[in-house]
Amino acid sequence: MENVTVFDSPGKGRGLKANKEFWAGDVIFSEASLSAVVFDSLSERICHSCFRRQDKLQRCGQCKFAHYCDRTCQRAGWAEHKQECGAIKAYGKVPNENIRLVARIMWRLDKEGGVVSDMQLTTLEELEDHIADMQEDELKEFKVDIHNFLDYWPRNSKQHTIDDISHIFGVINCNGFSVSDQRGLQAVGVGLFPNLCLVNHDCWPNCTVILNHGNQSAVNTMYHSQRRIELRSLGKIAEGEELTVAYVDYLNLSEERRRLLKMQYFFDCTCEHCKNGTKDDLKMAGREVEGVKPPEEQVKEATDYCFQMMEKLETSRLAGDYHEVVKICRECIKKTEPILADTHIYLLRIWSTMSEVQSYLQYFEEAAEYARKMVDGYTKLYNPNNAALGMAAMRAGVTHWQAGLIEVGHGMICKAFAILMITHGPTHPITKDLEAMRMQTEMELRMFKQNEYVYHSMREAALKNKPMTMMHEPKSVEEGIKNLFHRRK
């Protein structure tokens, strides 16, 4: 941790600052989790050791709860699961993810003490729990978890005071970090990373956080590398500058971001973008045609209509009625696209949904059109190196490629690759996938430029021999990037 120093950040409490200059894509520090658990809802589909998604998992023969890729993963995860396994058997049922995570943390602290590594900059006792700031309904759930934890905690384990237990629950509640699957596309669990807890928020941050799953494939566990987060620089950071990440998505309005931060993390954001309402005008703007803007009343009416449609969309999406989703999107786009700017956040969400669902239904040309519009809007709003922009460009590139629009597809994939090289680094699985896509589309583009007719003939023949398979059910590609910091719902 020689790259950073803990300091008192004005108005924020403790924070981290850079000990030297960094450039875009530099890894400032990496940190293994103190502990992590799989979400309750995914406990049978995700390996409890490496957090990879697998079709067939082997179940722990003792507790019948934990699932693993194979014996190698089971051996690698045994140190964390050993006491949990006995506790679940004795308790007779599986407690929720928060209780399981607190128990794993306490077992580790009991065994290794408050500082589990030379790299650790803070103890859990020094982290804020914000219990005093909780709302009444949240406090009620909090007390139920503590009550259930006391029933679950084995009598032969070291006993702790209610205050100590409550403090760790509080720390997890506002500092838990979502653990993604191996492709980085979906949150599958939650973990605690003490050093990361010291990195403060900024709506326009200079760093991003990604999860590196390490390597657990070797038969001998001594060759395994740990699951860890990496704090990566998004641009030039001067020596002595505070390191920041975004706790909430920048695509929200300033007022909404401040509300979310106050409700979820118990502080008032004073960043320049919130104070000045930076880009809020773009996010609610009307479409300007030849220098003429639509009346504010018309923009407000279209905005309200979009908001109502988004609620209907969510209902239909959850019901799996994707043709109804398309129908609602078409209606909304027809009515609001002539009025709202391409940076209007509600219109961007409609475009995103339309692109995703049409891609799922294999109407690739229309999906590509809306994906491109979404990327154009994102480009005007997000930091150029924002991971959500990179993921959107990747999606647009793949969709254009599927539609046979190779020139735009290759350009989008190159754009995505450049961004994700900074946010995820060259060894991340999703960057490796993009590199393979980039080489494939580059080869196809050369063929296309040499002879367009031959290219399309070969493409059609290839698709007839090997038709495109049905894509996975849509579930918002950017969610894993936007919601990095886990919050109990």
Side-chain angles (χ1 to χ4, degrees), residues 290 344 444 461:
E290 296 179 354
H344 194 291
E444 290 188 23

Side-chain angles (χ1 to χ4, degrees), residues 194-255:
N195 293 342
L196 181 61
C197 297
L198 296 173
V199 182
N200 286 317
H201 163 83
D202 195 289
C203 291
W204 197 264
N206 54 19
C207 297
T208 189
V209 187
I210 65 111
L211 186 79
N212 186 320
H213 278 265
N215 172 33
Q216 290 89 20
S217 59
V219 175
N220 191 331
T221 55
M222 72 176 288
Y223 296 114
H224 289 190
S225 57
Q226 290 179 299
R227 177 182 60 249
R228 62 195 183 277
I229 58 94
E230 292 177 351
L231 186 73
R232 304 181 71 93
S233 173
L234 290 177
K236 184 181 177 183
I237 298 175
E239 183 179 348
E241 186 177 341
E242 181 172 8
L243 305 173
T244 57
V245 293
Y247 293 2
V248 295
D249 184 23
Y250 184 70
L251 221 56
N252 292 307
L253 294 171
S254 301
E255 184 181 349

Side-chain angles (χ1 to χ4, degrees), residues 430-447:
I430 204 162
T431 317
K432 289 180 177 179
D433 286 350
L434 262 176
E435 171 68 355
M437 285 183 221
R438 190 173 68 88
M439 293 171 69
Q440 171 74 17
T441 54
E442 186 177 347
M443 180 187 70
E444 290 188 23
L445 183 58
R446 282 200 300 268
M447 189 187 302

Side-chain angles (χ1 to χ4, degrees), residues 415-467:
K415 179 185 178 80
F417 181 70
I419 295 171
L420 267 64
M421 277 290 285
I422 290 169
T423 59
H424 289 61
T427 62
H428 194 279
I430 204 162
T431 317
K432 289 180 177 179
D433 286 350
L434 262 176
E435 171 68 355
M437 285 183 221
R438 190 173 68 88
M439 293 171 69
Q440 171 74 17
T441 54
E442 186 177 347
M443 180 187 70
E444 290 188 23
L445 183 58
R446 282 200 300 268
M447 189 187 302
F448 174 83
K449 286 180 175 178
Q450 286 168 3
N451 192 318
E452 190 175 334
Y453 173 76
V454 170
Y455 167 75
H456 284 296
S457 299
M458 289 179 68
R459 177 182 169 81
E460 285 174 21
L463 291 177
K464 282 178 184 175
N465 291 332
K466 189 179 179 182

Side-chain angles (χ1 to χ4, degrees), residues 275-303:
K275 283 194 294 186
N276 300 328
T278 308
K279 298 197 179 185
D280 281 359
D281 55 341
L282 286 175
K283 294 174 187 176
M284 286 283 137
R287 183 185 182 90
E288 190 174 321
V289 181
E290 296 179 354
V292 179
K293 295 180 180 179
E296 285 186 21
E297 190 176 312
Q298 196 178 15
V299 174
K300 185 181 184 306
E301 185 182 327
T303 299

